[in-house]
Amino acid sequence: MIRRVLFNLMAWTIVLAVAFPLFWMVVTSLKPQSELFRRPPTILPETLTFEHYWQLLVETNFLTYFQNSVVLSVATTVVVVSIATLGAYSIVRFKYWGRESLAFLVLFTYLLPSVVLIIPLYLMLVGLGLSNTILSLVIAYTTFALPYALWLLRSFMAGIPEDLESAALVDGASRMGAFRDVILPQLLPGIISTALFTFILSWNEYLYALVLVNSDNTRPLTTGVMNMLISSFNVEWSLLMAASVMMSVPLIIVFAFLQSYLTRGFGAGGVKG
Amino acid sequence: MIKNQKAKLERQYATLGMMLIAPTVLVFCAVIVYPLVSAIYLSLFDIYTPTLQGEWVGLDNYRELLGKGEFWTSLRNNIIWTVGTLSLQILFGIGMALVLHQNIWFRSLARSLILFPYFVSTVVAVLVWRWLFNDLYGILNHLMMAAGLIDMPIDYLGSMPNAMISVILVGAWKYFPFVVIAVLARLQTIPDALYEAARIDGAGPVARFFDITLPQLRDVLVVIIMLRAIWDFKEFDLIFLLTGGGPVTSTQTLPLLVYKEAFSLNHMGMAAAYAVTMMAVMLVFMIVYIRKTREKEA
């Protein structure tokens, strides 16, 4: 019994140590400016304040960045997941020339470093006159999101028994009819978890946003928030921590409500990182 | 007659399959294959970024980069960073997975808390750590001084070897949850009978770990190590945002060098040459990973 309690205490000490930076982020964002610079620092704030959150919404471009990030991530997710669902169905269930090499290419590009693609992509998007637009980021994000989504959906698709589809075909359904009525409902949990991961990837991306966009109207959260740190000569850590918390809110929501889908996705193909 | 019909149906299916894959192939060619090929092509030119004008220099970029000290120091940093952060991720990841595999209180909450650093944006992680590392008001210096570990505040990011150690630690903190989840999933499939048999034979917990758990984890560990090695090797955001490659160039890895050449020093062609060389180094690991994954599926 004592051993069990000790083991639990040890385990939770490690867990809390790992989570401490995130706890400290929330605490800092709620401290008034005066308390922030007190030594020794207070672990729990003596007075709670939401002034930094208010300041963030009213005095900075945070809301624009937030909106850009939402548009960008949703657009990338919708485009990538719809293309990848059809693609995964094709790769798993049909036989045609070049299918094997295509599957190999998908896996290869899943591992490809962004810095190799970024120079030609930059030249291409500048050439198309798309630089500084959200569209250019959606295009750039498909370079990592599409191979990833295909890779993930492929393994979900492979898990659906082929018999179900054959039965529908024998009953006279067309191939696409069977896809719509039989495969799609079965694949739905896979589609949801792929969509969640694609959204998280796009929400967190930094490098392409840094290179392709440099105006405040189109900047997403990642580069926008970082820019607040660099451009303000007087760094306000509470403000930055409040921004970090707000930036993580969509992830926390995803986490809280859709955890089972996240675990499923993790099992199917790992998460890109 | 029936045979004929069947062949016809198969042809129809093949066409349908190709139509379904067509959007994927188109996007792949436009945003991945074309840029990949042109990266190699660009690396043979000397291009000035603002004007995008340049001339053919052949293999000169490659000759120059191999002769430059900066390439070799960046490669060395890249290897130190990858090996350092990866070993911590693996060691800590396996340890944490073993702990979370046990029946601890509020296990699912503990798992969520462990997982969170992985999903949080790198920008957020870096901002938080820079605040923890802050020399004047950072909690880390304060706690270490209060515990009597140090007398003076430490400069975590501005001096060597502190900067490299800090980057490696933050990288390990951010990415070890990946190892935890992957190992945890595998642990759950090891049959209990194996452990019972070992217990009857009188094997202690340590012997059970080395004789049963580790051999059972072997295959999944090879795949995880390969995948994380590839991802850590190409890491840009975390190092760039934490130190920017500094102090001077002591934490500058190859991805940072590519970015610097292309967008600060304005040598597009040279940057492409660095990128292509970096990929050549990574290719070994990529091929091993692809082989291992295929083996597992077959």
Side-chain angles (χ1 to χ4, degrees), chain A residues 27 30-32 34-35 38 42 44-49:
Chain A
V27 167
L30 295 170
K31 277 184 185 173
S34 56
E35 209 177 317
R38 192 177 306 163
T42 44
L44 286 172
E46 280 163 7
T47 36
L48 285 180
T49 171

Side-chain angles (χ1 to χ4, degrees), chain B residues 86 101 114 117-118 160 167 171 195 217 249:
Chain B
L86 181 63
H101 188 55
I114 289 291
Y118 192 70
M160 279 302 275
V167 170
Y195 290 104
L217 286 178
T249 57

